[in-house]
Amino acid sequence: MPNYRRFIIKPSLPEKLKPLSDISYNLWWTWHPDAVNLLRRIDPDLWEKLYHTPTKVLGSISQERLRDLEYDDGFITHMEHVAGELKEYMNESTWFEEFSVESWKKENHIAYFSFEFGLDECLQIYSGGLGVLAGDHLKSASDLGIPIVAVGLAYSHGYFMQYLNRDGWQMEQLPENDFYLLPQKRAKAADGSIIKIEVPFPGRKVTAQLWRAQVGRVPLYLLDTNIADNSPEDRAITSQLYGGDIEMRIKQEILLGIGGVRALEKLGINVSVHHMNEGHAAFASIERMLQCMRKFGFTYPEAREAIVSSTVFTTHTPVPAGNDRFERWMLEKYMTPVLEGSEIHSAEVLAMGRENPANDKELFCMTVLALRLSAASNGVSKLHSVVSRKMWRNIWPDVPLSSVPIKSVTNGIHIRSWISEEMRNLFDRYLGESWISKPGEDATWKRIVKIPDSELWRTHERRRERLVGFVRKRLVEQLRRKGGSESEIIEAQGALDPEALTIGFARRFATYKRGSLIFHDEERLAKILNNKERPVQIIFAGASHPRDMDGKDIIKQIIHVAAKEQFRRKIVFVEGYDIDVARHLVQGCDIWLNNPRRPMEASGTSGMKASANGALNLSILDGWWDEGYTPDVGWAIGAGEEYEDQATQDSVESRALYDILERDAIPLYYEKGSDGLPRGWVSKMKSSLTKLNAQFNTNRMLREYTEKFYLPLGLRWQNYVEGDPAIIKGFAKWKQGLEAEWKNIKLVEVSDGVVDVFKVGEMKQVSAMVSLGKIKPTDVVVECYYGPMDHVGDIKDGETAILEFEGIAKDGLCKFSGNIPCDNAGLFGFAVRILPNHENLLHKWLPGLITWG
């Protein structure tokens, strides 16, 4: 092979059209339809051919077409309007500026790490819900002015694109990301040089260059090892999202975590809070500790307290098998070079990544490492946080399940990215500007009632018609690619009915999501779909993980069922599920179906996207729907039951699904007045839009993250690390002393009197005699944990009463006393416990530091 020299050719735009470049390179355009319409207008055919990628369009368009645009007054006016909107957006005052007032230093940022980002179909660095959530997170952070800087990896092949063979078996092909033609640029230093960082790997250093994608006000930096500085083996580290074996996974996670922190340091970005979106980036906390030791002269214990107090971790996976784990030899192989020359040893990192730090046989887990090194951890729905507390309670073995410190911040969606242009216009007319500036407030969405029923319904009907047109086009393309016959193509052109009740099911085909549940009774389903008076149709889309054969079998089953005579033209499967397909489906379906096995759906955001467009959800009470469901906004399958036997569950819940369709949903849809409007259905649509849009959006989600985590942890970093490091040093020293002496604490005696029957309104007195050894009484808090007892003798919904220190007895024991309020009747229980107490403790649940009486 010759040694090729490389050079870059950039689009040559006339001076008059230069604003097109600024618009194209800021992904702000992805949630502004007027900007999308402008970019499509450049060359509509190229826009479709080049996968809605404006930078590719500008690089491929003919100079003749550019000259036409240059002298097209209408286009120039349109362009100047959009450019003005972008400029105004970038410079206007924001919610964060008002909320944080002057307490937040302007140079400080929140670093948001994620393995994938789903911003638009043109940037293939996402696989599904995790990435799409991350993309929506950045968009709302931009809208709110939250100073986030995001970090990810630049996958040269991204995630696979799905296609099906003639038998319905999923096949995969890898799309290639040509980053020089995508809406991002290489990060450069002030002198114009390309910014690169080095990450220590076994026996070598791996170099990564940085790409910068601008998401409104938020920069996204992507690390890329596919450069000449590296060996072919190391160039492949950023080859594919979720590709390769377990060793490739740890390489990518070292690059993201260690490399990401080094990249931000090299860029000169001051970070006060780190937010890890799933455990893939947990190694960032290790590098931050090393950074603190270098920068502030901290010891390892001091550095650990500093980074823990400024880290947020969001877990998404509701099953243990979904969390990355590594054997000891692999962790040591890749962590030893990172730790070389520091006072941290790989054995200490190993211990932090185990539920039981002393168990040498336990695998190292990235989620455990992230939980141990975060001041704030959260699940992505209320139910998921309950599941997560059960999954990870062994990290805090003596803590009551309900007190395990994993909170919840329920996911949302970036509404402006997912609603149709027609729905947006409707909101503009009847809700005013507030649906854009204040999408997380109830008052905004209560104005939905002002929309005339006829206008809302006609808008929705147009979207369903467009969906049917889109699906027909995709089906024809699928058949032609497979060599389908002319008769098959003609049939595909008439698939679906633009006026029939349309059910959408689109998501990753993991077995727990039960994509084929609706086929449990094919005879009954056929009667539902083929009712001439009330026809129903179903559109499926989604892909399975390449190594998930069971998931692929479900897709194959759907294809085979759809091919049966009684289901032809009534059930279709759209290949190549991506953001573009998802957008069309959520904008045009009448019912959004979701039937996972509870409680395995951590959150699920596709239903939120559908409801934002006026679709009604029909779902298991799992994830977000467990919070969002009320009878006036959609339908629930079951009442939140959890089953031991899966066959029984499938039988019961499939019957419930059919019952809801036959008795409730279908009659409501087709029950129309003399004016042709299904008033009952529209009323339900309005309730759904009013109640769900206000709660399940990323504007609310980001404000919650900011108020609960970003601002308090960021101010802690400013005040205690950057402002007065002596505070962190003193706290670390106190904690080390407490950990060394805690084993000497003993609860010698608990007294609660001789009376064991009380009347409501009375107080039960409790006192405890405690031996603290060398620990001061002010360094602990003695609590009485009490509450009603269940049938197995556990306290449920426990509460806490503080026992106050009363003094030291002659034998050196410390006496603590207090009262339990008897507010309700029934059988109650209590226990006394001792916990650490310090003004700088972020929460009282420190693993290993709790003593029960």
Side-chain angles (χ1 to χ4, degrees):
M1 289 286 291
N3 185 17
Y4 296 113
R5 295 191 179 189
R6 307 174 74 183
F7 61 98
I8 300 170
I9 301 176
K10 293 183 178 180
S12 177
L13 289 175
E15 189 65 32
K16 206 172 182 181
L17 298 178
K18 286 292 173 63
L20 289 177
S21 180
D22 294 334
I23 296 166
S24 298
Y25 277 99
N26 191 323
L27 287 155
W28 167 90
W29 62 263
T30 62
W31 68 95
H32 289 80
D34 200 28
V36 174
N37 291 335
L38 171 74
L39 298 171
R40 181 188 290 113
R41 189 173 171 180
I42 295 172
D43 190 316
D45 292 334
L46 267 181
W47 178 258
E48 294 301 326
K49 180 181 177 182
L50 298 177
Y51 211 51
H52 310 158
T53 313
T55 46
K56 283 186 178 181
V57 171
L58 292 178
S60 304
I61 195 170
S62 68
Q63 291 299 309
E64 182 180 1
R65 176 59 180 157
L66 286 175
R67 281 193 294 273
D68 290 342
L69 294 174
E70 189 179 7
Y71 294 102
D72 183 337
D73 291 343
F75 181 84
I76 295 298
T77 300
H78 190 178
M79 179 192 69
E80 290 174 346
H81 173 71
V82 171
E85 281 191 318
L86 173 58
K87 184 177 181 180
E88 181 181 356
Y89 176 88
M90 296 296 286
N91 294 319
E92 65 189 5
S93 60
T94 66
W95 171 84
F96 185 82
E97 290 173 337
E98 297 174 7
F99 176 74
S100 64
V101 198
E102 297 178 356
S103 55
W104 185 277
K105 293 181 181 177
K106 288 188 176 181
E107 65 270 22
N108 280 354
H109 293 79
I110 298 110
Y112 182 80
F113 283 69
S114 184
F115 223 37
E116 48 175 304
F117 289 91
L119 293 156
D120 187 76
E121 60 265 25
C122 74
L123 194 55
Q124 290 284 322
I125 55 171
Y126 67 94
S127 73
L130 178 73
V132 172
L133 172 76
D136 283 7
H137 194 107
L138 301 193
K139 291 174 183 178
S140 277
S142 173
D143 289 341
L144 292 165
I146 301 170
I148 280 180
V149 55
V151 180
L153 300 182
Y155 303 102
S156 54
H157 290 97
Y159 202 50
F160 72 90
M161 289 296 292
Q162 171 208 51
Y163 68 98
L164 305 180
N165 66 17
R166 293 285 293 181
D167 193 40
W169 188 254
Q170 175 181 294
M171 311 292 286
E172 297 89 27
Q173 59 186 9
L174 293 178
E176 185 169 351
N177 284 323
D178 185 346
F179 292 125
Y180 293 93
L181 292 177
L182 293 177
Q184 56 187 31
K185 298 178 180 179
R186 288 189 292 180
K188 295 183 179 181
D191 61 1
S193 60
I194 302 299
I195 294 178
K196 297 179 181 180
I197 56 104
E198 289 185 337
V199 180
F201 272 64
R204 66 200 188 278
K205 291 186 183 299
V206 173
T207 303
Q209 68 176 354
L210 305 180
W211 293 90
R212 173 173 172 152
Q214 193 67 32
V215 187
R217 301 180 179 96
V218 173
L220 165 60
Y221 291 98
L222 303 171
L223 282 71
D224 177 14
T225 64
N226 186 23
I227 54 178
D229 308 57
N230 295 320
S231 67
E233 175 191 356
D234 292 335
R235 293 182 70 160
I237 293 174
T238 55
S239 175
Q240 186 186 355
L241 172 61
Y242 301 130
D245 56 15
I246 190 67
E247 190 159 7
M248 176 58 78
R249 180 62 62 87
I250 198 171
K251 289 179 182 178
Q252 291 183 332
E253 292 179 342
I254 288 282
L255 179 65
L256 176 63
I258 307 298
V261 173
R262 293 188 174 200
L264 294 175
E265 186 177 32
K266 187 75 173 282
L267 289 162
I269 296 173
N270 202 43
V271 176
S272 57
V273 178
H274 273 242
H275 184 174
M276 296 178 288
N277 188 41
E278 196 53 284
H280 306 118
F283 290 134
S285 290
I286 304 299
E287 179 63 22
R288 289 185 67 212
M289 282 193 277
L290 298 173
Q291 192 181 72
C292 280
M293 293 159 73
R294 293 191 303 268
K295 185 175 181 180
F296 299 107
F298 286 167
T299 63
Y300 162 54
E302 293 165 351
R304 176 171 171 167
E305 295 305 327
I307 68 99
V308 166
S309 67
S310 60
T311 303
V312 182
F313 169 57
T314 299
T315 178
H316 293 259
T317 310
V319 290
N323 297 271
D324 291 340
R325 286 178 165 84
F326 304 111
E327 294 186 29
R328 177 181 186 134
W329 70 266
M330 189 176 290
L331 187 281
E332 289 179 335
K333 175 181 177 181
Y334 286 93
M335 190 49 57
T336 299
V338 172
L339 302 175
E340 186 177 0
S342 77
E343 63 179 89
I344 308 176
H345 302 289
S346 59
E348 290 167 309
V349 178
L350 269 165
M352 287 189 286
R354 292 173 174 152
E355 293 180 46
N356 179 358
N359 183 2
D360 285 340
K361 295 182 180 179
E362 184 183 333
L363 294 178
F364 174 89
C365 178
M366 294 293 283
T367 303
V368 174
L369 179 67
L371 286 167
R372 287 192 183 278
L373 294 180
S374 299
S377 300
N378 70 280
V380 289
S381 69
K382 291 179 181 177
L383 181 58
H384 179 235
S385 69
V386 173
V387 173
S388 298
R389 286 194 286 271
K390 290 179 181 176
M391 281 177 60
W392 305 113
R393 67 180 305 177
N394 289 339
I395 299 174
W396 300 271
D398 296 321
V399 175
L401 180 60
S402 61
S403 298
V404 170
I406 300 177
K407 300 178 181 179
S408 70
V409 177
T410 301
N411 283 345
I413 62 161
H414 186 254
I415 290 177
R416 295 169 76 184
S417 291
W418 293 102
I419 61 170
S420 66
E421 189 169 357
E422 292 88 347
M423 189 64 78
R424 169 190 289 266
N425 293 337
L426 210 56
F427 290 169
D428 283 344
R429 282 200 299 276
Y430 294 101
L431 275 62
E433 189 271 341
S434 64
W435 81 269
I436 293 176
S437 61
K438 300 176 181 178
E441 296 187 8
D442 291 341
T444 295
W445 299 103
K446 286 180 178 177
R447 298 175 189 171
I448 288 288
V449 71
K450 296 180 179 180
I451 302 175
D453 288 0
S454 58
E455 202 165 344
L456 178 59
W457 183 244
R458 302 304 176 210
T459 296
H460 181 65
E461 285 192 309
R462 285 195 295 274
R463 289 309 315 170
R464 191 190 320 107
E465 290 169 4
R466 289 198 183 186
L467 170 61
V468 169
F470 171 80
V471 170
R472 286 172 175 174
K473 181 180 177 183
R474 291 294 289 257
L475 291 175
V476 168
E477 291 172 356
Q478 290 170 200
L479 284 167
R480 285 183 172 151
R481 187 172 60 249
K482 298 172 190 173
S485 66
E486 194 60 34
S487 62
E488 287 178 311
I489 290 172
I490 291 172
E491 184 174 287
Q493 290 171 336
L496 304 178
D497 178 352
E499 296 183 1
L501 172 60
T502 303
I503 300 172
F505 184 100
R507 55 190 34 83
R508 182 168 56 91
F509 274 86
T511 52
Y512 78 87
K513 292 179 183 283
R514 297 189 295 176
S516 59
L517 182 69
I518 200 169
F519 300 139
H520 201 269
D521 185 339
E522 290 186 20
E523 184 178 347
R524 190 173 177 185
L525 177 62
K527 290 179 181 178
I528 292 172
L529 301 190
N530 292 302
N531 185 321
K532 291 183 179 179
E533 302 298 322
R534 297 174 171 180
V536 179
Q537 57 199 10
I538 310 173
I539 302 174
F540 287 94
S544 171
H545 188 281
R547 292 191 289 273
D548 183 358
M549 298 301 122
D550 292 334
K552 290 185 176 184
D553 273 334
I554 294 173
I555 295 173
K556 182 178 176 181
Q557 180 186 351
I558 294 171
I559 299 299
H560 282 233
V561 171
K564 294 181 179 181
E565 187 59 36
Q566 65 266 39
F567 297 122
R568 294 176 75 86
R569 300 175 65 176
K570 295 286 187 176
I571 299 175
V572 300
F573 191 101
V574 182
E575 299 175 23
Y577 186 50
D578 64 358
I579 287 176
D580 187 39
V581 173
R583 193 184 292 116
H584 278 86
L585 262 65
V586 299
Q587 290 175 0
C589 285
D590 300 296
I591 291 176
W592 197 256
L593 178 62
N594 187 32
N595 40 238
R597 294 194 192 280
R598 177 185 164 111
M600 298 181 71
E601 185 80 276
S603 178
T605 56
S606 62
M608 303 176 193
K609 301 175 180 96
S611 66
N613 282 283
L616 301 179
N617 278 271
L618 169 53
S619 177
I620 297 289
L621 289 173
D622 198 7
W624 81 283
W625 193 236
D626 190 54
E627 298 171 48
Y629 169 71
T630 54
D632 58 333
V633 301
W635 298 276
I637 303 171
E641 303 90 348
E642 296 176 21
Y643 293 78
E644 294 288 335
D645 183 86
Q646 293 186 355
T648 300
Q649 180 180 12
D650 291 349
S651 177
V652 170
E653 293 182 340
S654 63
R655 289 199 304 270
L657 169 56
Y658 299 138
D659 288 344
I660 291 169
L661 289 173
E662 291 169 339
R663 299 173 187 174
D664 299 318
I666 296 171
L668 188 67
Y669 180 87
Y670 283 105
E671 191 176 299
K672 298 180 180 179
S674 57
D675 56 1
L677 294 179
R679 297 280 180 180
W681 187 277
V682 174
S683 175
K684 216 171 180 73
M685 287 175 67
K686 285 187 171 182
S687 292
S688 175
L689 287 165
T690 301
K691 294 183 178 181
L692 300 182
N693 279 7
Q695 177 64 15
F696 299 103
N697 64 78
T698 42
N699 180 287
R700 183 274 311 158
M701 185 186 84
L702 262 293
R703 286 192 286 117
E704 198 171 337
Y705 273 117
T706 301
E707 293 165 9
K708 282 185 176 180
F709 305 141
Y710 293 164
L711 196 60
L713 297 190
L715 294 178
R716 187 180 177 91
W717 176 271
Q718 287 179 189
N719 297 333
Y720 297 167
V721 179
E722 295 176 329
D724 188 358
I727 296 175
I728 285 291
K729 291 184 177 184
F731 177 65
K733 184 177 180 180
W734 171 85
K735 187 179 172 186
Q736 280 182 287
L738 199 71
E739 288 172 333
E741 290 291 328
W742 195 265
K743 61 182 179 294
N744 297 320
I745 289 181
K746 290 182 176 59
L747 241 170
V748 177
E749 180 185 347
V750 175
S751 303
D752 63 336
V754 295
V755 179
D756 60 1
V757 178
F758 295 82
K759 294 180 180 179
V760 171
E762 293 182 339
M763 304 291 284
K764 177 179 177 64
Q765 293 185 339
V766 177
S767 63
M769 301 300 290
V770 180
S771 175
L772 292 176
K774 297 180 180 179
I775 296 174
K776 299 176 183 177
T778 53
D779 289 338
V780 298
V781 58
V782 181
E783 297 179 342
C784 189
Y785 178 71
Y786 68 95
M789 302 194 76
D790 61 22
H791 67 284
V792 295
D794 286 335
I795 290 176
K796 56 181 181 180
D797 302 322
E799 297 184 61
T800 298
I802 302 295
L803 304 187
E804 301 290 348
F805 175 61
E806 292 196 353
I808 300 175
K810 293 180 180 179
D811 53 7
L813 298 180
C814 299
K815 184 177 181 181
F816 294 82
S817 298
N819 296 301
I820 298 174
C822 301
D823 294 331
N824 296 289
L827 177 64
F828 282 70
F830 80 94
V832 175
R833 65 192 180 197
I834 306 172
L835 297 162
N837 180 49
H838 192 282
E839 62 180 347
N840 289 323
L841 267 177
L842 287 158
H843 60 74
K844 58 189 177 184
W845 306 115
L846 300 179
L849 300 186
I850 179 171
T851 297
W852 289 89

